[in-house]
Amino acid sequence: MFRNQYDTDVTTWSPAGRLFQVEYAMEAVKQGSAAIGLRSKTHVVLACVNKANSDLSSHQKKIFKVDDHIGVAIAGLTADGRVLSRYMRSECINYSYTYESPLPVGRLVVQLADKAQVCTQRSWKRPYGVGLLVAGLDESGAHLYYNCPSGNYFEYQAFAIGSRSQAAKTYLERRFENFMGSSREDLIKDALIATRETLQGEKLTSSICTIAVVGVGEAFHILDQETVQQLIDAFEIVREEESPPAQPQPTAEPAAQASGADQAATTEQGDVAPMDI
Amino acid sequence: MTKQHANWSPYDNNGGSCVAIAGADYCVIAADTRMSTGYNILTREYSKISKLSIVHSALQMHDKCVMASSGFQADVKALQKNLSARHLIYQHQHNKQMSCPAMAQLLSNTLYYKRFFPYYSFNVLGGLDNEGKGCVFTYDAVGSYERVGYSSQGSGSTLIMPFLDNQLKSPSPLLLPAQDAVTPLSESEAVDLVKTVFASATERDIYTGDKLEIVILNASGIRREYLELRKD
Amino acid sequence: MRLLTELLGTPTEADLGVKGTTYQSQLPELRLKEKKSRSSLLLSIQETSSIMGSVAESQRTLYPYVTGSSVVAIKYKDGILMAADMGGSYGSTLRYKSIERLKPIGKHSLLGASGEISDFQEILRYLDELILYDNMWDDGNSLGPKEVHNYLTRVMYNRRNKFNPLWNSLVLGGVKNGQKYLGMVNMIGINFEDNHVATGLGNHLARPILRDEWNENLTFEEGVKLLEKCMRVLLYRDRSAVNKIQISKITEEGATVYPPFSLKTYWEFSAFRNPAAGAAGSW
């Protein structure tokens, strides 16, 4: 089962200069169901795919409101995601207690990244197994960040993480140049389409996705299910039964699932480049 | 150097009066906007009414209850910030706003927590309860509280309270079973009464005046009115 | 990090049920450090006997040593104007004659102070640190006057909660994003905003004038004239005022503190020349 002798704790380097435990944490992000974010000049939209663990259970919440001006979507270990969003909430509350103004998004993201970084340098800790898309608005405009278990963070125009996120990324890469001038509605539409891309043929319904918006004059909020369904219907995002899905989905690997990684099936098991996000 | 200053005090009284009246389907909360220290007026436009939520850009506010407070402004401000933050945490955890009776209990606990270095603040909390009925909670500085139909706090309360007692004819507290304490007045009558009591209190209480801020809560939401008062 | 110890006063203040923040884990040791340096720095009764020890340690019977008098500030068309004299009084002795009590804070704010000069200079050190940390983010965000005022409010209030006040009344003015801001905070944490503010005797002598003559569209010249009028009244009637005055402005472009100047005064009124005239039995 062991991949090599350098992966038993986070603080041990491999001769190739890699920290395997950190890379495994990033792997956990890929196993979580997809989360998508995209922004215009004035708005940021977050979307995620909800997959229930079993037919008998409900799905887990993957989008959290942090403050009126910030929200996150997560992929990976939802439990870690909850802890981190609680941390972010308390940072926002403390900041607005002292300054009576909202915490700039970029600063919160750096604090969050520093918190993740600590876990990559302590022998008694484990990296957070969760990736966060942080959407926010501050005096310098709308922002979308991706926070990685490694402590890296990046600002994006649009991004997708989690299982089968490559399909969404491909879609976003084709379209992102127009996003800056997009209206709120167009952003949501693109978010829905990108979400659908990750479903690989499964029908997009409001019950398997969550959409959240933050923007100028609009506090961060999660759209309710009816609204999302109306939007799906209005945009006719329902996939017509045209071409059959390219490849029938390989069934989930039963044993290899990291316990607790949220729901979705493992797809590609290819080698990860060192420190690739 | 000889001591020239009286013993330093961590407290001050910045004056001001608050009133709240509950009706069957509304609640009126009002306070003047004068802030004084001794014989000085510090400012004529300081709102004593808190929305109980952190508001950066008027995106959100609590629309089921508000608090009016007089006393020591710095303590009042600390209390309001504390409650707002606690309310925000509540909203994160429960995905809804706190009910007015819940907020009332929280306020009591918050005040009592500082029982031996109290917040020098005199509060009335007004709002709509879970049935949509008007409710008023009235407090002392260390947290004892009671649900009533109407109340007044602050420097002008000694002038206002008997006036309200006379006009609103509340049922005797000795009645068993207890009678409903909400006032029989209509919303507009209540607003008029509030205007009258403040105009009257302003005549005799030097700490009340400048402007009256009235907040009205009902089923259709939250509304605000202002009335100029005597500035002397 | 010391900033935080200033902010987090009583447990109720910051401990809002949000546990496990970096602040809390680091607090206790910093608090101790702070206490030590404080008690050696400050007057008060030091541990004289071992029995009194704990009592004396917590006692901070404070009165100011060197104080500055009033600060007067107004909003005007393009921003904020502030005026203060440069005297520093040791009781009723005019001990210092060239103390600057108006200071720019960061890009958008201007601070004026009356009260204990050493405490004011300590506050300036806190603010230097605050602005430095803010600039170090280098992310295009910056603290505006509202934020700085609020920060000061928390500092002043938390110090009063520890019965160890900073003996000042502070005036904070500024402009950011076209928004004018003028506020005040005193040693026990009372704070408010207004179109014009004045500390100390200025509240008695200058504000009535301001209430009569202030309006929103004052030009720079009119504003300066109005402040000079206030400062002249204060010079005549406030015994600790001196005739060396600084005026400062802050606009969207930034803060300017003008060089000190003196007001023209006229002392030849007969009542000034012989104040005891007609007061029988007086010398």
Side-chain angles (χ1 to χ4, degrees), chain A residues 8-266:
Chain A
T8 46
D9 73 66
V10 261
T11 56
T12 303
W13 289 102
S14 85
R18 300 165 60 169
L19 291 170
F20 283 106
Q21 284 295 330
V22 174
E23 287 175 30
Y24 297 161
M26 295 192 293
E27 211 53 46
V29 177
K30 293 184 181 167
Q31 306 208 9
S33 60
I36 291 159
L38 55 163
R39 75 171 167 132
S40 68
K41 204 173 269 173
T42 55
H43 286 81
V44 195
V45 173
L46 293 178
C48 70
V49 176
N50 299 318
K51 279 277 179 64
N53 239 329
S54 102
D55 290 343
L56 300 173
S57 78
S58 64
H59 62 82
Q60 280 186 296
K61 200 170 146 77
K62 279 166 57 76
I63 294 186
F64 299 95
K65 177 175 177 152
V66 170
D67 203 346
D68 275 356
H69 67 300
I70 298 180
V72 293
I74 59 167
L77 296 185
T78 19
D80 286 12
R82 275 200 323 273
V83 169
L84 288 177
S85 35
R86 189 160 66 232
Y87 165 79
M88 294 167 83
R89 284 171 175 176
S90 91
E91 288 301 304
C92 283
I93 288 172
N94 286 337
Y95 190 92
S96 64
Y97 195 92
T98 28
Y99 301 107
E100 288 198 356
S101 70
L103 173 59
V105 193
R107 298 190 181 181
L108 179 62
V109 164
V110 173
Q111 284 181 275
L112 185 67
D114 288 351
K115 200 174 160 66
Q117 191 278 338
V118 171
C119 301
T120 68
Q121 229 178 359
R122 303 279 185 278
S123 59
W124 63 91
K125 290 193 169 179
R126 119 181 124 65
Y128 290 101
V130 68
L132 299 97
L133 289 175
V134 184
L137 190 74
D138 59 26
E139 60 179 284
S140 53
H143 299 282
L144 174 68
Y145 289 92
Y146 169 56
N147 273 74
C148 178
S150 62
N152 281 326
Y153 66 96
F154 308 88
E155 182 159 17
Y156 283 97
Q157 182 70 56
F159 198 48
I161 54 174
S163 74
R164 282 172 263 159
S165 60
Q166 190 51 54
K169 272 189 276 188
T170 309
Y171 174 78
L172 294 170
E173 277 160 12
R174 270 207 321 271
R175 309 254 316 172
F176 80 98
E177 266 142 344
N178 309 321
F179 287 169
M180 218 42 182
S182 278
S183 68
R184 173 186 183 277
E185 278 62 38
D186 287 343
L187 278 188
I188 297 176
K189 183 178 177 179
D190 280 318
L192 284 166
I193 298 174
T195 310
R196 187 191 59 188
E197 297 294 314
T198 70
L199 295 177
Q200 301 242 308
E202 198 183 329
K203 194 178 173 213
L204 177 69
T205 61
S206 59
S207 58
I208 57 163
C209 72
T210 306
I211 305 280
V213 192
V214 60
V216 174
E218 187 175 14
F220 184 91
H221 65 287
I222 297 172
L223 303 185
D224 57 48
Q225 207 173 319
E226 293 88 78
T227 317
V228 175
Q229 190 57 54
Q230 278 165 17
L231 288 167
I232 293 174
D233 298 342
F235 298 147
E236 293 173 4
I237 292 174
V238 201
R239 172 167 291 201
E240 293 82 39
E241 307 301 327
E242 2 108 21
S243 54
Q247 279 290 88
Q249 202 42 48
T251 46
E253 270 151 73
Q257 284 271 34
S259 67
D262 68 15
Q263 305 103 25
T266 328

Side-chain angles (χ1 to χ4, degrees), chain C residues 103-111 143-145 148 172-175 250 255:
Chain C
K103 292 279 184 189
I105 305 295
K107 270 191 295 198
H108 315 284
S109 315
L110 184 63
L111 178 67
L143 296 170
V148 175
L172 198 110
V175 189
I250 184 159

Side-chain angles (χ1 to χ4, degrees), chain B residues 1-12 14 35 37 40-46 55-56 72-79 81-82 85-86 89 110 113-114 117-119, chain C residues 10-13 15-18 61-65 90-92 146 150 153-154 157 159-161 163-165 167 184 186-194 203-204 207 211 239:
Chain B
M1 195 168 82
T2 51
K3 197 171 155 187
Q4 295 182 358
H5 290 265
N7 236 348
W8 178 78
S9 164
Y11 289 116
D12 191 5
N14 302 110
M35 184 163 108
T37 177
N40 291 317
I41 292 173
L42 289 172
T43 174
R44 298 186 192 277
E45 296 214 41
Y46 188 84
V55 182
H56 298 311
F72 172 39
Q73 185 269 345
D75 275 349
V76 166
K77 184 70 166 285
L79 178 65
K81 285 167 83 93
N82 223 315
R86 295 290 293 269
I89 294 168
T110 310
Y113 186 78
K114 273 174 72 69
F117 182 27
Y119 286 122
Chain C
T10 58
T12 40
E13 276 282 278
D15 179 21
L16 302 158
V18 198
T61 329
L62 281 194
Y63 45 86
Y65 271 124
Y90 178 67
S92 46
K146 187 182 103 179
N150 230 285
T153 299
R154 286 359 283 161
Y157 183 68
R159 289 290 290 260
R160 90 106 213 190
N161 281 346
F163 285 72
N164 183 201
W167 207 281
M184 241 199 74
N186 74 0
M187 68 176 105
I188 50 176
I190 294 174
N191 63 91
F192 59 89
E193 284 175 59
D194 214 330
N203 210 8
H204 294 84
R207 285 200 83 190
R211 283 182 186 135
R239 65 161 191 193

Side-chain angles (χ1 to χ4, degrees), chain B residues 156-172:
Chain B
S157 65
T158 45
L159 279 60
I160 296 172
M161 205 54 200
F163 193 102
L164 293 175
D165 287 331
N166 177 259
Q167 292 295 304
L168 294 172
K169 311 247 185 299
S170 75
S172 162

